[in-house]
Amino acid sequence: MDLTLKVWRQKNSQAKGKMETYPISDISEDSSFLEMMDVLNGNLINSGKEPVAFDHDCREGICGMCSMYINGQAHGPMRGTTTCQLHMRSFRDGETIYIEPWRSGSMPVIKDLVVDRSAFDRIQQAGGFVSVNTSGNTQDANAVPIPKVNADKAFDAAACIGCAACVATCKNSSAMLFVAAKVSQYSYLPQGEVEAKDRVVNMVNQMDKEGFGNCTNTGACEVECPKGISLEYIARMNREYVSATISSEKK
Amino acid sequence: MEFLVSRTFYARGQTGQQLLLGAYSAMNRQIAKGKIQMFSRHEMVELVKVDGKARGIIARNLITGELERHSAHAVVIASGGYGNVFFLSTNAMGSNTTAAWKIHRNGAFFANPCYTQIHPTCIPRSGEHQSKLTLMSESLRNDGRIWVPKNLEDAEKIRSKTIKPTELKEEDRDYYLERRYPAFGNLVPRDVASRAAKERCDAGYGVNSTGEAVYLDFSAAIERYGKEKALVSGIKQPSVEKIIELGEEVVEQKYGNLFQMYEKIVAENPYKTPMMIYPAVHYTMGGVWVDYNLMTTIPGCYCIGEANFSDHGANRLGASALMQGLADGYFVLPYTIGDFLANDIRTGPISTDLKEFEIAEKNVSDTIDKLMSIKGDKPVDYFHKRLGKVMWEFAGMARNKEGLEHAISEIKTIRKEFWENVRIPGDKDEMNTELEKAGRVADFLELGELFAKDGLERSESRGRTF
């Protein structure tokens, strides 16, 4: 396949970036999108230029690193996949492909296609955990019975890989789907229930502090989520948040 | 009556991922309490020893390129395995040996470097562009029959796509595992299945465009399950189509997610045409030597998880890598590290102004300057891929003296060329992914030689080593 790539280049967080055009040829349709980027970088290095910096690690759809906005869609045209799971057979020979980083004020570009997602770390540090010590004396997980339906719902939420495609695709740069998944994952289970009220309030407050936008229920996040996290979790989080702020004993 | 006990609790095929997220959330709790600090986008590039004890590290900030000094009373390495010495493996792209290798270079013993686990059921590579391999579950071998064409001409026709595998008659197929090991058939141990697949492909019977793939065929299982299902559902004299339909339903229930993943990557429907598989490096049992307290031979330097050599011996059983990660981190280290720290209770903070830190930082910055000054004409990946091919051919599944000696001399040549001719664009004081890779490949080029030397020392066949 022969392609024309338009790639966002930005030297660092302070520099002004712009789209650069690179023609590329002889790409196998069996190669993954990131392998195509490897070939591009090999060509750039061979011609004495700097390669395009992009985040990637597991290359099997579970680490959430490959944050590329391809032809105006988070992770490209296929649904339910990350960029590393996208193959070149999804594109036509001769096509022009636009490749950009995630765009969100709360996730600034570090270099080229690499963005700073540490806001997600800080949201999880605000409450994305269960207050149990892990030093080897925890009780048997099966000692507390959990209804299957709750365990399944918690697991569906736990499938979130924190890739931030939801933020990138949202016109409001909202992180609600991510935060809702993390909140629900714990509050569905008895171990996380005791601190559910504090958790939802603290995580939502941190989300606001990081500057993420609000949810206007357009549902784009659900469509782009590589793990199929449902919009229902946002509704659930809102209910939890309202109930927590009304009924909390804390001031 | 049958009593079945699950050897492993699985979590929807994301067991490891969920354990990782669990550990990460437990870590977040400690960060929130102010007990620990996280340094993301940092890489450990050197160990600092003071009076023979591990007292800190030099880290490189991967965004600014700055070198940082971090001091402590003890150092714990938990940096995973070195399967990427083969270039292609099922490991994540960022997995590397650098942290483990740095402590080895500082005097920590390394044990069993050549113990590598090679999984028979991975998705084959599709060409030179391949950057990593994906593991399919071992469980597929329960129901799939492994075969290659009996005749070289048929293999050639399949590779050039002039015939389809489903068109090949039963008598023209070689179910080589069933033929060679009638008692075990397709369920021979992983190492036997892996070696046999490579042997058949090396002999010219491979079935994809690279010639490095064998078939894993579910049609017999689909038919068998279909007949059983028809019988229990009371369908009398079912048609062939009905049997296949029912059989595919059963197979989907068992392996649906795996078949889906395969179809995403290969763009072929494994219900209708046999799946293609090939062995790939998955885990390294060898690593830094540790005692029962998980301390290396450097006092105060600990090494846990896949980075160390313990627990597995020459083989590794299913889920035991996850077991080791949890056992080392949750159940062993919290209780053993105190034994060392107790003697340091009056030591007080370790200053990062000590000359040991200064020397270590200077060494690191000299190495970086040296790498940046080479300005050769080959990218880092060129050397990494060459190293990987040598490792796979001569130090992989089946090894012999000549091959390993050849590997050792080849690795030395590649290493020499690397240090003379690698090209790293950009600067050292910014985010520079090529510089990061270069440092890691430089370490792989040293580890690879030790790996081959270890193989040469062993004349026995043991576990993964043949």
Side-chain angles (χ1 to χ4, degrees):
Chain A
M1 295 171 84
D2 297 338
L3 303 158
T4 306
L5 305 176
K6 305 247 182 200
V7 186
W8 183 259
R9 301 303 308 259
Q10 183 173 336
K11 191 157 175 58
N12 54 48
S13 54
Q14 278 84 44
K16 196 164 178 278
K18 64 170 192 290
M19 298 298 274
E20 292 273 1
T21 306
Y22 305 107
I24 188 166
S25 50
D26 290 332
I27 293 296
S28 160
E29 57 177 32
D30 289 329
S31 73
S32 73
F33 198 86
L34 297 186
E35 285 165 351
M36 184 275 294
M37 293 299 292
D38 292 340
V39 174
L40 170 70
N41 279 346
N43 294 350
L44 288 174
I45 295 168
N46 285 332
S47 61
K49 292 185 188 129
E50 270 198 61
V52 180
F54 63 92
D55 267 334
H56 64 107
D57 197 17
C58 77
R59 295 209 180 188
E60 50 186 64
I62 53 173
C63 76
M65 290 287 275
C66 46
S67 46
M68 283 184 197
Y69 215 65
I70 300 161
N71 285 346
Q73 297 184 70
H75 295 137
M78 263 180 92
R79 297 285 83 87
T81 49
T82 51
T83 308
C84 60
Q85 293 173 301
L86 175 68
H87 284 75
M88 295 315 292
R89 60 181 86 94
S90 298
F91 298 88
R92 293 185 317 275
D93 189 26
E95 194 171 337
T96 300
I97 305 175
Y98 293 81
I99 308 165
E100 295 168 83
W102 283 174
R103 306 263 187 209
S104 162
S106 308
M107 295 189 170
V109 171
I110 293 173
K111 184 177 184 175
D112 298 339
L113 305 173
V114 178
V115 298
D116 179 359
R117 262 178 297 212
S118 55
F120 271 19
D121 284 329
R122 290 187 293 272
I123 292 173
Q124 292 182 89
Q125 286 154 19
F129 47 77
V130 173
S131 294
V132 176
N133 285 329
T134 48
S135 49
N137 47 10
T138 45
Q139 66 169 331
D140 188 296
N142 293 327
V144 187
I146 300 167
K148 177 83 165 76
V149 61
N150 288 16
D152 283 348
K153 292 234 165 170
F155 206 149
D156 287 344
C160 169
I161 54 174
C163 66
C166 47
V167 175
T169 201
C170 177
K171 61 175 181 166
N172 308 322
S173 271
S174 169
M176 292 279 250
L177 192 67
F178 165 77
V179 180
K182 296 297 171 190
V183 163
S184 305
Q185 172 191 346
Y186 296 106
S187 63
Y188 264 118
L189 302 175
Q191 292 89 343
E193 212 179 342
V194 271
E195 48 194 338
K197 284 181 184 173
D198 284 349
R199 179 183 303 112
V200 67
V201 171
N202 292 342
M203 288 181 82
V204 168
N205 287 349
Q206 186 65 35
M207 173 183 87
D208 290 342
K209 215 191 278 177
E210 298 289 348
F212 291 105
N214 278 323
C215 174
T216 47
N217 283 312
T218 52
C221 52
E222 185 187 54
V223 176
E224 291 294 346
C225 176
K227 298 295 155 187
I229 308 284
S230 161
L231 211 56
E232 279 172 35
Y233 289 102
I234 296 184
R236 190 177 187 282
M237 177 177 75
N238 286 339
R239 286 198 300 276
E240 253 194 75
Y241 182 80
V242 170
S243 128
T245 45
I246 292 172
S247 67
S248 178
E249 302 288 334
K250 286 186 187 168
K251 284 277 168 327
Chain B
M1 199 169 170
E2 238 183 318
F3 290 97
L4 288 176
V5 177
S6 292
R7 188 187 58 181
T8 315
F9 289 103
Y10 291 104
R12 286 190 194 167
Q14 356 172 334
T15 320
Q17 186 190 344
Q18 289 304 330
L19 289 175
L20 174 110
L21 290 174
Y24 169 70
S25 81
M27 181 183 76
N28 279 333
R29 176 168 168 253
Q30 299 302 325
I31 294 171
K33 289 167 120 184
K35 301 262 187 202
I36 60 170
Q37 259 183 297
M38 175 169 71
F39 296 88
S40 51
R41 296 192 191 271
H42 279 64
E43 182 167 26
M44 184 276 207
V45 281
E46 187 57 294
L47 178 78
V48 182
K49 285 199 293 187
V50 179
D51 299 330
K53 291 178 180 173
R55 291 302 197 191
I57 63 163
I58 306 294
R60 181 168 179 269
N61 179 325
L62 299 181
I63 297 177
T64 63
E66 272 169 279
L67 296 178
E68 298 172 1
R69 301 175 185 183
H70 296 270
S71 72
H73 293 99
V75 173
V76 180
I77 301 294
S79 55
Y82 48 85
N84 277 344
V85 69
F86 286 83
F87 185 73
L88 286 179
S89 80
T90 62
N91 289 184
M93 301 297 285
S95 302
N96 64 77
T97 191
T98 290
W101 194 249
K102 295 303 181 201
I103 64 170
H104 172 58
R105 291 290 299 260
N106 274 287
F109 291 173
F110 214 89
N112 310 335
C114 77
Y115 286 180
T116 318
Q117 182 188 41
I118 293 167
H119 241 281
T121 43
C122 297
I123 299 178
R125 73 187 181 99
S126 61
E128 280 303 309
H129 55 259
Q130 193 85 30
S131 59
K132 83 151 270 175
L133 299 164
T134 304
L135 179 72
M136 303 288 288
S137 169
E138 188 74 30
S139 63
L140 291 171
R141 278 202 292 143
N142 287 328
D143 282 313
R145 295 180 73 196
I146 295 174
W147 64 275
V148 291
K150 203 173 262 177
N151 306 309
L152 281 171
E153 308 83 71
D154 288 337
E156 180 51 46
K157 280 184 202 154
I158 282 178
R159 280 198 293 271
S160 60
K161 296 200 164 123
T162 42
I163 56 169
K164 287 185 189 149
T166 43
E167 291 165 9
L168 215 58
K169 290 201 219 65
E170 269 310 297
E171 57 266 31
D172 292 328
R173 301 176 179 194
D174 177 16
Y175 296 90
Y176 57 88
L177 289 176
E178 297 171 23
R179 168 169 62 80
R180 289 180 192 174
Y181 311 99
F184 297 97
N186 297 295
L187 291 175
V188 292
R190 287 170 184 166
D191 54 328
V192 178
S194 298
R195 271 197 303 278
K198 185 166 189 297
E199 184 278 324
R200 282 291 83 189
C201 292
D202 287 349
Y205 295 93
V207 295
N208 77 347
S209 58
T210 63
E212 289 176 352
V214 299
Y215 285 127
L216 181 64
D217 199 331
F218 292 87
S219 54
I222 287 172
E223 200 183 316
R224 188 176 76 241
Y225 286 130
K227 279 181 183 160
E228 285 173 11
K229 192 78 190 280
L231 203 64
V232 296
S233 334
I235 303 170
K236 290 198 180 101
Q237 290 170 332
S239 65
V240 179
E241 290 76 30
K242 189 69 194 169
I243 288 173
I244 290 174
E245 186 195 315
L246 293 170
E248 282 178 357
E249 277 170 24
V250 177
V251 169
E252 189 181 347
Q253 276 163 19
K254 290 183 87 165
Y255 311 113
N257 58 338
L258 293 168
F259 276 43
Q260 213 177 11
M261 179 171 91
Y262 178 87
E263 196 170 350
K264 249 184 209 173
I265 295 175
V266 185
E268 278 182 6
N269 180 348
Y271 295 99
K272 303 292 177 200
T273 184
M275 208 176 244
M276 292 182 291
I277 54 162
Y278 200 63
V281 172
H282 186 53
Y283 191 87
T284 50
M285 284 79 73
V288 178
W289 186 91
V290 289
D291 61 16
Y292 287 115
N293 291 337
L294 300 177
M295 188 158 82
T296 68
T297 45
I298 300 172
C301 182
Y302 292 78
C303 189
I304 62 175
E306 190 181 349
N308 76 27
F309 89 114
S310 70
D311 293 6
H312 308 299
N315 215 332
R316 186 185 73 86
L317 303 176
S320 65
L322 301 177
M323 175 284 296
Q324 188 190 2
L326 298 183
D328 286 4
Y330 284 167
F331 306 124
V332 183
L333 194 67
Y335 300 96
T336 60
I337 198 167
D339 186 45
F340 175 82
L341 292 176
N343 294 323
D344 267 307
I345 205 157
R346 293 178 204 284
T347 307
I350 312 279
S351 166
T352 53
D353 294 329
L354 292 171
K355 69 170 191 315
E356 286 87 350
F357 277 90
E358 205 175 300
I359 294 167
E361 189 184 313
K362 172 121 195 346
N363 287 342
V364 172
S365 102
D366 287 351
T367 310
I368 291 174
D369 288 339
K370 198 172 159 197
L371 282 167
M372 294 304 294
S373 69
I374 299 169
K375 297 190 192 308
D377 49 38
K378 295 275 188 241
V380 177
D381 278 355
Y382 165 82
F383 297 98
H384 196 179
K385 283 183 180 179
R386 264 178 70 188
L387 170 69
K389 278 192 180 143
V390 171
M391 296 300 295
W392 181 249
E393 277 310 315
F394 302 105
M397 284 177 273
R399 310 159 182 159
N400 59 42
K401 188 165 173 285
E402 294 74 46
L404 287 165
E405 280 167 352
H406 173 75
I408 291 169
S409 83
E410 267 299 286
I411 294 167
K412 282 183 177 153
T413 314
I414 301 169
R415 195 165 62 218
K416 186 164 171 287
E417 283 179 36
F418 172 86
W419 283 101
E420 283 167 357
N421 203 18
V422 71
R423 171 185 283 183
I424 304 165
D427 296 313
K428 64 173 181 177
D429 52 1
E430 58 174 9
M431 175 176 265
N432 189 332
T433 47
E434 287 299 306
L435 177 60
E436 292 165 26
K437 278 200 282 187
R440 296 167 194 165
V441 171
D443 292 333
F444 277 136
L445 283 164
E446 293 179 5
L447 168 79
E449 186 182 342
L450 185 74
F451 188 119
K453 278 184 177 161
D454 180 35
L456 205 51
E457 289 290 314
R458 298 170 190 276
S459 52
E460 80 280 15
S461 169
R462 180 198 293 179
R464 302 302 315 169
T465 324
F466 189 73

